[in-house]
Amino acid sequence: MSEVGFNSGARQVAGLSSRRTQSPKRDPAPSRVAYRAQRLWLTPTFRKIVRVGLPVLVVSMITGGLLASADRRQAIVDWSLQLREDIEHRPAFMVHMMAVDGASIELAEDIREVFPLDFPMSSFDLDLQQMHAAISELDAVASVNVQVRVGGVLQVSVDERVPVIVWRGTDAVELLDAEGHRVVQVPARASRPDLPLVTGFGADKAIPEAIELLASAAPIYDHVRGLVRVGERRWDLVLDNGQRVLLPETNPRQALHRVIALNTVRDLLARNVAVIDMRLEKRPTLRLKEPVPDVSPEDAPIINSGAQYP
C-alpha cells in the first residue's frame, strides 16, 4: 500500500470518528418553563403586579418596619413638625405689617380692630379667605382684595362705598350710597349737611329713584330740604319754607318738571302756597298756607312739618 493511500484512509477514518462524537444541533424552540414564563409576562395583570404591586409591597414592608417602634414614630413626627416650622418661619414667608389702601381713616381703624394681628408673623398663619369674608361684611366696604405682597406686607385694598344721601329712620340717622346700601351711622343729620335728606318708611329701598328726583330738582335745589317717602309708593318734596310738592306714584320726575316750569314762569314757590298737589296729572291742586310763626331751618321737623298726604 502506498503512503498516499494510507493517508487518505486515515483521514476517512478520522472524519467518521469525528462525526460520531459531534453533538446534535440545538432545538431553537424555547423550553416549556421559558414558554410559560413568556406567556405569563404577556398577561397585563401580572405585569401590573410586578411593576406596581411588588414595589409597593417592598416599600410597605420597609415603612412598617420603620414605624413598628413607638420611639421611632415619635421621632419622625417631631422631625416633620420641626421641618415645617423652620420652613414657615423663614424670612421669605414672614409678614411684618398691614397696609390698608382705598379706605378712610375711620374704615381703616375698623379693619384693624377686626383683625388685631401681632406682627411679625408667618404668612402660613394668615387665613386670607376668612379675612376677605370678614372685611366684606363691613357696611362701608363695597369690595376688598387681600393678599401678601413681596417684602412681608399684608395688603388690604378696599373699594369704599361713597355716601350720597342721609336717611333718617325711626331709630337712627344713616348714610346710604347710590344703591341704598348702608355706609355708616351718624349721630345727627347735621353731621353731613352737604348731603340731601330722605325719610319715611321704606325710603331706603327707593334711593335710586330719590337720587333721580333730587337731580331733577336742580333748578330749585337750594330750597330743597329733603324727600319724604309716603306709603312706600311715592314721594313728597319738602322745601325750606315749609312747602310740599306731592308727587304721583307714576312719572314723578315729569310732575316735578311741571312744577319747576310753573315756578320759572309764574314764580310759584314765592307765593303763599303750602302744598302743590301733583298726584292727579290732569288736575294739579294748590293749597294756600295760613300765617304761621317762623320755623327753625333744622331738618328734624321734616317728618312732622305739614300733614302726611297718602
Side-chain angles (χ1 to χ4, degrees), residues 100-123:
V100 181
D101 294 338
S104 60
I105 298 177
E106 295 79 6
L107 180 57
E109 292 178 354
D110 292 340
I111 293 175
R112 296 181 188 278
E113 289 178 0
V114 172
F115 294 99
L117 302 177
D118 187 13
F119 295 106
M121 61 185 306
S122 174
S123 59

Side-chain angles (χ1 to χ4, degrees), residues 28-48:
S31 63
R32 181 174 300 178
V33 175
Y35 172 76
R36 290 183 177 178
Q38 293 177 3
R39 295 293 298 177
L40 185 61
W41 182 251
L42 293 176
T43 305
T45 304
F46 181 78
R47 289 203 307 270
K48 186 176 295 185

Side-chain angles (χ1 to χ4, degrees), residues 226-284:
L227 287 169
V228 178
R229 189 69 169 171
V230 180
E232 296 187 75
R233 55 186 178 84
R234 67 173 196 85
W235 295 97
D236 282 356
L237 182 68
V238 182
L239 304 180
D240 56 358
N241 55 3
Q243 293 175 326
R244 280 188 177 232
V245 180
L246 278 57
L247 300 174
E249 182 178 355
T250 58
N251 298 325
R253 295 180 63 189
Q254 181 179 353
L256 182 57
H257 288 158
R258 293 180 62 187
V259 173
I260 294 174
L262 288 173
N263 181 65
T264 303
V265 176
R266 300 292 182 88
D267 202 12
L268 178 62
L269 299 180
R271 299 178 183 272
N272 188 30
V273 177
V275 177
I276 305 174
D277 192 346
M278 302 297 295
R279 291 176 294 176
L280 297 179
E281 181 180 0
K282 296 182 179 180
R283 194 179 67 181

